Amino acid sequence: MKLYALDLNKEQWLELLERLKQPKFRADQLLQWIWQKRVFDVEGMTNLSITLREKLAEELDFSAPALVREQKSKDGTRKFLWQLRDGNTVESVLLKSGVRLTACISTQVGCPLGCTFCATGLSGFVRNLSSGEIAGQFLAMEALLGRDINNIVYMGMGEPMLNRDEVFKSVRMLNDEKLRNLGIRHITISTSGIVPGIEALAEEKLGVRLAVSLHAVDDELRSRLMPVNERFPLAELKEAIKNYQEKTGDRVSIEYTLFGGVNDSVEHARALVRFLKGIHVFINLIPFNSVDGRYDVPEAKDILKFKKVLDTAGFENELRQEQGSDIDAACGQLRRKDAEGSALALEPKAHSVTKKDSRRAVQRDEKPETAASKRRSGEKTAADRKVPRKKMLPEKERYRSGKMKEERPTYRDSAEAKTDDGRKESRKRIPSARPKAAPERKSAEKKTAGRAEIKKPFYEPELNRKKTKLKPSEKGRSKAGQAAKKTSAAKKRGVKK
């Protein structure tokens, strides 16, 4: 079988091109075509010589995972079934939250852990994926969408820590600035509690985010949900999380799926608080997405009570919104149906956690009762019982919202108002509740002059002075000139005397 081009990192490309007697800069060109331009056919790499393209086509397979089926949900979630080079199939999910896109990719064909609530475990384990097959799902989704996806989670089919060498290599290639150049903090690796994998991730110091699927803090219950707990019990898992946090300083995400009547009580919430005490975590509460009816969907009241315990204890948490409930969005559902050869019809929409009857099965043909259907069945409607509708009541007895109210008090003054029969009647003005201003004291000038006093502006004192009329000869002269003229005139008069 040919080498898989997506499996090669930059160092491996340099070795291959050196063997083919090609310059080193060809490696950057090839990486740009595959990882940034998302071209998976060597014939489309037009800046390479024809001779080089022929040699590469003989030795390498440039194909990305081939799309077999796609399902689209009303909430924007998209589910993809990819076919690999050997004919095996894996799943990927594209989650949409506003303008934020997150790709959930698989790391194994099937899964060996056999979690009782997971559809992937029901199909068994086939093989591990290579680093190129893991990252190829991400590149194929981007090529299909025609845009970049800026978040990726290793939470699809399989256990990433049981294939950690290829998983870590795929992370480095996605993060390499010469390849995809995806931010390292935009990558999350999830594990069901493989302690050696958590320890290895701490030693690698990749900088990715870690998520641990917990689901229960009682060994007996967790072993029933997740058989991996028998190999790595809760005490070892807790110690591994603490050591990881000491070495990396990163907060750990805890995935807690709520199963109706199994692990969603207040007592379970308090036990979770005691287990996580002293660890810096963020808890994701995930209402169960039913698989073959093995577990029930939790009720809304139980979810809110559970969340309230975490809030009171001071733990950061978030209730995940149900996504892709009208398609096979849970891990392994789409692949399992395809493997059995059955039609890929959409499953009935799962119960909303806000409904009280979430434990009952959903009936598609159930229609809401109308007044006509009630009359056919002989049941009395509101009209038959002669119950007056709120909108039929006079305006005085209801508000615009239609609710029954007493007559609204009048706060605004009006000279006339209409009665119920349309006639006009006079309405007395409501006296103002404001206190009257104290009467101003009359000045002596007002009493004598009998006219309003003109207030003199305080900022123009010159206007208060009496203006003397100037003689025509004195106009246009300054005060100093006028004084000098008066002095000279007095001297002349003295001389005459």
Side-chain angles (χ1 to χ4, degrees), residues 6 45 74 102 137 141 143 155 173 175 185 226 261 273 288 314 338 348 374 384 388 412 435 449 451:
L6 294 179
M45 303 176 184
K74 295 178 181 178
T102 301
Q137 302 168 57
M141 278 192 278
M155 294 183 184
M173 290 195 298
N175 178 242
R185 301 301 289 175
M226 308 171 67
V273 169
F288 178 60
D338 184 71
K374 287 182 179 180
D384 299 330
R412 297 182 180 178
R451 59 183 179 179

PDB file of all heavy atoms in Angstrom, residues 6 45 74 102 137 141 143 155 173 175 185 226 261 273 288 314 338 348 374 384 388 412 435 449 451:
ATOM      1  N   LEU A   6      -1.129  12.349   4.299  1.00  0.00           N
ATOM      2  CA  LEU A   6      -1.557  13.072   5.505  1.00  0.00           C
ATOM      3  C   LEU A   6      -0.853  12.584   6.760  1.00  0.00           C
ATOM      4  O   LEU A   6      -0.915  13.244   7.796  1.00  0.00           O
ATOM      5  CB  LEU A   6      -3.073  12.950   5.678  1.00  0.00           C
ATOM      6  CG  LEU A   6      -3.938  13.624   4.612  1.00  0.00           C
ATOM      7  CD1 LEU A   6      -5.413  13.390   4.895  1.00  0.00           C
ATOM      8  CD2 LEU A   6      -3.655  15.112   4.533  1.00  0.00           C
ATOM      9  N   MET A  45      -1.798  20.458  -7.754  1.00  0.00           N
ATOM     10  CA  MET A  45      -0.698  21.235  -7.170  1.00  0.00           C
ATOM     11  C   MET A  45       0.143  21.794  -8.310  1.00  0.00           C
ATOM     12  O   MET A  45       1.181  21.250  -8.696  1.00  0.00           O
ATOM     13  CB  MET A  45       0.133  20.342  -6.242  1.00  0.00           C
ATOM     14  CG  MET A  45      -0.714  19.712  -5.137  1.00  0.00           C
ATOM     15  SD  MET A  45       0.218  18.573  -4.090  1.00  0.00           S
ATOM     16  CE  MET A  45      -1.093  17.961  -3.032  1.00  0.00           C
ATOM     17  N   LYS A  74     -31.876  20.322  12.781  1.00  0.00           N
ATOM     18  CA  LYS A  74     -32.516  21.635  12.730  1.00  0.00           C
ATOM     19  C   LYS A  74     -31.709  22.690  13.478  1.00  0.00           C
ATOM     20  O   LYS A  74     -31.801  23.875  13.172  1.00  0.00           O
ATOM     21  CB  LYS A  74     -33.921  21.541  13.325  1.00  0.00           C
ATOM     22  CG  LYS A  74     -34.874  20.664  12.529  1.00  0.00           C
ATOM     23  CD  LYS A  74     -36.232  20.571  13.202  1.00  0.00           C
ATOM     24  CE  LYS A  74     -37.177  19.667  12.428  1.00  0.00           C
ATOM     25  NZ  LYS A  74     -38.495  19.541  13.108  1.00  0.00           N
ATOM     26  N   THR A 102     -17.249  23.761  16.132  1.00  0.00           N
ATOM     27  CA  THR A 102     -16.372  22.806  16.807  1.00  0.00           C
ATOM     28  C   THR A 102     -16.501  21.461  16.114  1.00  0.00           C
ATOM     29  O   THR A 102     -17.613  20.969  15.887  1.00  0.00           O
ATOM     30  CB  THR A 102     -16.752  22.662  18.288  1.00  0.00           C
ATOM     31  OG1 THR A 102     -16.649  23.936  18.931  1.00  0.00           O
ATOM     32  CG2 THR A 102     -15.821  21.683  18.990  1.00  0.00           C
ATOM     33  N   GLN A 137     -10.083  13.871   9.022  1.00  0.00           N
ATOM     34  CA  GLN A 137     -11.502  14.155   9.241  1.00  0.00           C
ATOM     35  C   GLN A 137     -11.733  15.657   9.387  1.00  0.00           C
ATOM     36  O   GLN A 137     -12.695  16.214   8.852  1.00  0.00           O
ATOM     37  CB  GLN A 137     -11.986  13.446  10.505  1.00  0.00           C
ATOM     38  CG  GLN A 137     -11.810  11.934  10.503  1.00  0.00           C
ATOM     39  CD  GLN A 137     -12.023  11.346  11.880  1.00  0.00           C
ATOM     40  OE1 GLN A 137     -13.081  11.520  12.494  1.00  0.00           O
ATOM     41  NE2 GLN A 137     -11.017  10.663  12.405  1.00  0.00           N
ATOM     42  N   MET A 141     -13.799  18.066   6.676  1.00  0.00           N
ATOM     43  CA  MET A 141     -14.939  18.906   7.062  1.00  0.00           C
ATOM     44  C   MET A 141     -14.729  20.339   6.606  1.00  0.00           C
ATOM     45  O   MET A 141     -15.658  20.987   6.119  1.00  0.00           O
ATOM     46  CB  MET A 141     -15.146  18.840   8.578  1.00  0.00           C
ATOM     47  CG  MET A 141     -15.919  17.622   9.039  1.00  0.00           C
ATOM     48  SD  MET A 141     -16.444  17.730  10.771  1.00  0.00           S
ATOM     49  CE  MET A 141     -14.956  17.208  11.576  1.00  0.00           C
ATOM     50  N   ALA A 143     -12.903  21.345   4.076  1.00  0.00           N
ATOM     51  CA  ALA A 143     -13.029  21.383   2.618  1.00  0.00           C
ATOM     52  C   ALA A 143     -14.492  21.329   2.202  1.00  0.00           C
ATOM     53  O   ALA A 143     -14.903  21.988   1.240  1.00  0.00           O
ATOM     54  CB  ALA A 143     -12.253  20.213   2.006  1.00  0.00           C
ATOM     55  N   MET A 155     -13.367  13.639  20.931  1.00  0.00           N
ATOM     56  CA  MET A 155     -14.439  13.038  21.712  1.00  0.00           C
ATOM     57  C   MET A 155     -15.328  12.144  20.862  1.00  0.00           C
ATOM     58  O   MET A 155     -16.436  11.802  21.268  1.00  0.00           O
ATOM     59  CB  MET A 155     -15.311  14.130  22.364  1.00  0.00           C
ATOM     60  CG  MET A 155     -14.615  14.955  23.410  1.00  0.00           C
ATOM     61  SD  MET A 155     -15.749  16.134  24.171  1.00  0.00           S
ATOM     62  CE  MET A 155     -14.644  17.044  25.256  1.00  0.00           C
ATOM     63  N   MET A 173       0.759  18.141  14.362  1.00  0.00           N
ATOM     64  CA  MET A 173       0.619  18.538  12.964  1.00  0.00           C
ATOM     65  C   MET A 173      -0.461  19.613  12.805  1.00  0.00           C
ATOM     66  O   MET A 173      -0.284  20.566  12.029  1.00  0.00           O
ATOM     67  CB  MET A 173       0.286  17.317  12.104  1.00  0.00           C
ATOM     68  CG  MET A 173       1.446  16.344  11.967  1.00  0.00           C
ATOM     69  SD  MET A 173       1.243  15.123  10.641  1.00  0.00           S
ATOM     70  CE  MET A 173      -0.211  14.242  11.174  1.00  0.00           C
ATOM     71  N   ASN A 175      -1.216  21.785  14.962  1.00  0.00           N
ATOM     72  CA  ASN A 175      -0.724  23.004  15.610  1.00  0.00           C
ATOM     73  C   ASN A 175       0.474  23.618  14.893  1.00  0.00           C
ATOM     74  O   ASN A 175       0.767  24.798  15.090  1.00  0.00           O
ATOM     75  CB  ASN A 175      -0.358  22.684  17.064  1.00  0.00           C
ATOM     76  CG  ASN A 175       0.200  23.876  17.812  1.00  0.00           C
ATOM     77  OD1 ASN A 175       1.329  23.867  18.262  1.00  0.00           O
ATOM     78  ND2 ASN A 175      -0.592  24.933  17.948  1.00  0.00           N
ATOM     79  N   ARG A 185      -4.673  25.894  22.317  1.00  0.00           N
ATOM     80  CA  ARG A 185      -5.732  25.970  23.317  1.00  0.00           C
ATOM     81  C   ARG A 185      -7.118  25.779  22.712  1.00  0.00           C
ATOM     82  O   ARG A 185      -8.120  25.805  23.424  1.00  0.00           O
ATOM     83  CB  ARG A 185      -5.675  27.316  24.059  1.00  0.00           C
ATOM     84  CG  ARG A 185      -4.364  27.575  24.775  1.00  0.00           C
ATOM     85  CD  ARG A 185      -4.054  26.516  25.793  1.00  0.00           C
ATOM     86  NE  ARG A 185      -4.920  26.587  26.956  1.00  0.00           N
ATOM     87  CZ  ARG A 185      -4.912  25.698  27.942  1.00  0.00           C
ATOM     88  NH1 ARG A 185      -4.104  24.651  27.903  1.00  0.00           N
ATOM     89  NH2 ARG A 185      -5.730  25.840  28.965  1.00  0.00           N
ATOM     90  N   MET A 226     -19.237   2.239  33.177  1.00  0.00           N
ATOM     91  CA  MET A 226     -17.983   2.246  32.426  1.00  0.00           C
ATOM     92  C   MET A 226     -17.076   1.131  32.969  1.00  0.00           C
ATOM     93  O   MET A 226     -16.424   1.309  34.004  1.00  0.00           O
ATOM     94  CB  MET A 226     -17.285   3.610  32.559  1.00  0.00           C
ATOM     95  CG  MET A 226     -18.187   4.788  32.213  1.00  0.00           C
ATOM     96  SD  MET A 226     -17.432   6.372  32.627  1.00  0.00           S
ATOM     97  CE  MET A 226     -16.078   6.405  31.455  1.00  0.00           C
ATOM     98  N   GLY A 261     -32.805   8.779  36.850  1.00  0.00           N
ATOM     99  CA  GLY A 261     -32.969   7.813  37.917  1.00  0.00           C
ATOM    100  C   GLY A 261     -31.740   6.996  38.242  1.00  0.00           C
ATOM    101  O   GLY A 261     -31.807   6.058  39.051  1.00  0.00           O
ATOM    102  N   VAL A 273     -19.413  16.766  44.569  1.00  0.00           N
ATOM    103  CA  VAL A 273     -18.750  17.911  45.201  1.00  0.00           C
ATOM    104  C   VAL A 273     -17.644  17.435  46.133  1.00  0.00           C
ATOM    105  O   VAL A 273     -16.530  17.986  46.143  1.00  0.00           O
ATOM    106  CB  VAL A 273     -19.793  18.766  45.959  1.00  0.00           C
ATOM    107  CG1 VAL A 273     -19.095  19.791  46.843  1.00  0.00           C
ATOM    108  CG2 VAL A 273     -20.725  19.472  44.974  1.00  0.00           C
ATOM    109  N   PHE A 288     -28.590  12.936  28.965  1.00  0.00           N
ATOM    110  CA  PHE A 288     -28.345  11.743  28.163  1.00  0.00           C
ATOM    111  C   PHE A 288     -29.144  11.760  26.870  1.00  0.00           C
ATOM    112  O   PHE A 288     -30.324  12.108  26.857  1.00  0.00           O
ATOM    113  CB  PHE A 288     -28.696  10.493  28.986  1.00  0.00           C
ATOM    114  CG  PHE A 288     -28.538   9.200  28.240  1.00  0.00           C
ATOM    115  CD1 PHE A 288     -27.305   8.827  27.731  1.00  0.00           C
ATOM    116  CD2 PHE A 288     -29.621   8.354  28.043  1.00  0.00           C
ATOM    117  CE1 PHE A 288     -27.152   7.637  27.045  1.00  0.00           C
ATOM    118  CE2 PHE A 288     -29.479   7.158  27.355  1.00  0.00           C
ATOM    119  CZ  PHE A 288     -28.237   6.802  26.859  1.00  0.00           C
ATOM    120  N   GLY A 314     -19.937  26.265  44.762  1.00  0.00           N
ATOM    121  CA  GLY A 314     -18.946  27.151  44.145  1.00  0.00           C
ATOM    122  C   GLY A 314     -18.214  26.549  42.961  1.00  0.00           C
ATOM    123  O   GLY A 314     -17.184  27.097  42.535  1.00  0.00           O
ATOM    124  N   ASP A 338     -25.472   1.847   9.634  1.00  0.00           N
ATOM    125  CA  ASP A 338     -24.940   1.545   8.316  1.00  0.00           C
ATOM    126  C   ASP A 338     -24.365   0.139   8.275  1.00  0.00           C
ATOM    127  O   ASP A 338     -24.502  -0.580   7.299  1.00  0.00           O
ATOM    128  CB  ASP A 338     -23.869   2.569   7.940  1.00  0.00           C
ATOM    129  CG  ASP A 338     -23.355   2.360   6.531  1.00  0.00           C
ATOM    130  OD1 ASP A 338     -24.100   2.641   5.570  1.00  0.00           O
ATOM    131  OD2 ASP A 338     -22.221   1.886   6.397  1.00  0.00           O
ATOM    132  N   PRO A 348     -36.922   9.162  16.092  1.00  0.00           N
ATOM    133  CA  PRO A 348     -37.816  10.167  16.685  1.00  0.00           C
ATOM    134  C   PRO A 348     -37.033  11.120  17.562  1.00  0.00           C
ATOM    135  O   PRO A 348     -36.047  10.737  18.183  1.00  0.00           O
ATOM    136  CB  PRO A 348     -38.793   9.320  17.518  1.00  0.00           C
ATOM    137  CG  PRO A 348     -38.714   7.957  16.930  1.00  0.00           C
ATOM    138  CD  PRO A 348     -37.317   7.797  16.412  1.00  0.00           C
ATOM    139  N   LYS A 374     -62.610  18.073  20.403  1.00  0.00           N
ATOM    140  CA  LYS A 374     -63.291  17.909  21.683  1.00  0.00           C
ATOM    141  C   LYS A 374     -64.799  17.761  21.483  1.00  0.00           C
ATOM    142  O   LYS A 374     -65.463  16.968  22.164  1.00  0.00           O
ATOM    143  CB  LYS A 374     -62.999  19.106  22.594  1.00  0.00           C
ATOM    144  CG  LYS A 374     -61.582  19.125  23.149  1.00  0.00           C
ATOM    145  CD  LYS A 374     -61.387  20.315  24.068  1.00  0.00           C
ATOM    146  CE  LYS A 374     -59.978  20.327  24.642  1.00  0.00           C
ATOM    147  NZ  LYS A 374     -59.763  21.471  25.541  1.00  0.00           N
ATOM    148  N   ASP A 384     -69.060  26.095  25.114  1.00  0.00           N
ATOM    149  CA  ASP A 384     -70.243  25.371  25.573  1.00  0.00           C
ATOM    150  C   ASP A 384     -70.550  25.669  27.029  1.00  0.00           C
ATOM    151  O   ASP A 384     -71.707  25.646  27.449  1.00  0.00           O
ATOM    152  CB  ASP A 384     -70.056  23.864  25.373  1.00  0.00           C
ATOM    153  CG  ASP A 384     -69.865  23.513  23.904  1.00  0.00           C
ATOM    154  OD1 ASP A 384     -70.419  24.251  23.064  1.00  0.00           O
ATOM    155  OD2 ASP A 384     -69.161  22.536  23.609  1.00  0.00           O
ATOM    156  N   PRO A 388     -67.344  33.526  29.778  1.00  0.00           N
ATOM    157  CA  PRO A 388     -67.026  34.720  28.972  1.00  0.00           C
ATOM    158  C   PRO A 388     -65.522  34.840  28.741  1.00  0.00           C
ATOM    159  O   PRO A 388     -64.726  34.655  29.656  1.00  0.00           O
ATOM    160  CB  PRO A 388     -67.544  35.878  29.833  1.00  0.00           C
ATOM    161  CG  PRO A 388     -67.559  35.337  31.228  1.00  0.00           C
ATOM    162  CD  PRO A 388     -67.848  33.883  31.114  1.00  0.00           C
ATOM    163  N   ARG A 412     -54.515  61.189  34.510  1.00  0.00           N
ATOM    164  CA  ARG A 412     -54.338  62.377  33.684  1.00  0.00           C
ATOM    165  C   ARG A 412     -55.611  63.221  33.712  1.00  0.00           C
ATOM    166  O   ARG A 412     -56.726  62.691  33.735  1.00  0.00           O
ATOM    167  CB  ARG A 412     -54.018  61.983  32.251  1.00  0.00           C
ATOM    168  CG  ARG A 412     -52.694  61.222  32.145  1.00  0.00           C
ATOM    169  CD  ARG A 412     -52.414  60.905  30.711  1.00  0.00           C
ATOM    170  NE  ARG A 412     -51.151  60.183  30.586  1.00  0.00           N
ATOM    171  CZ  ARG A 412     -50.660  59.736  29.430  1.00  0.00           C
ATOM    172  NH1 ARG A 412     -51.334  59.950  28.318  1.00  0.00           N
ATOM    173  NH2 ARG A 412     -49.525  59.081  29.393  1.00  0.00           N
ATOM    174  N   PRO A 435     -47.487  71.188  46.913  1.00  0.00           N
ATOM    175  CA  PRO A 435     -47.709  72.308  47.844  1.00  0.00           C
ATOM    176  C   PRO A 435     -47.572  73.640  47.137  1.00  0.00           C
ATOM    177  O   PRO A 435     -46.745  73.800  46.237  1.00  0.00           O
ATOM    178  CB  PRO A 435     -46.601  72.116  48.890  1.00  0.00           C
ATOM    179  CG  PRO A 435     -45.548  71.349  48.181  1.00  0.00           C
ATOM    180  CD  PRO A 435     -46.244  70.448  47.207  1.00  0.00           C
ATOM    181  N   ALA A 449     -44.880 102.590  44.574  1.00  0.00           N
ATOM    182  CA  ALA A 449     -44.941 102.823  43.130  1.00  0.00           C
ATOM    183  C   ALA A 449     -46.108 102.117  42.493  1.00  0.00           C
ATOM    184  O   ALA A 449     -46.642 102.566  41.487  1.00  0.00           O
ATOM    185  CB  ALA A 449     -43.653 102.383  42.477  1.00  0.00           C
ATOM    186  N   ARG A 451     -46.076  99.297  40.963  1.00  0.00           N
ATOM    187  CA  ARG A 451     -45.695  98.581  39.748  1.00  0.00           C
ATOM    188  C   ARG A 451     -44.579  97.580  40.069  1.00  0.00           C
ATOM    189  O   ARG A 451     -43.920  97.709  41.091  1.00  0.00           O
ATOM    190  CB  ARG A 451     -45.229  99.558  38.678  1.00  0.00           C
ATOM    191  CG  ARG A 451     -44.065 100.400  39.102  1.00  0.00           C
ATOM    192  CD  ARG A 451     -43.707 101.399  38.012  1.00  0.00           C
ATOM    193  NE  ARG A 451     -42.592 102.228  38.426  1.00  0.00           N
ATOM    194  CZ  ARG A 451     -42.059 103.166  37.666  1.00  0.00           C
ATOM    195  NH1 ARG A 451     -42.582 103.383  36.462  1.00  0.00           N
ATOM    196  NH2 ARG A 451     -41.041 103.896  38.093  1.00  0.00           N
TER     197      ARG A 451
END
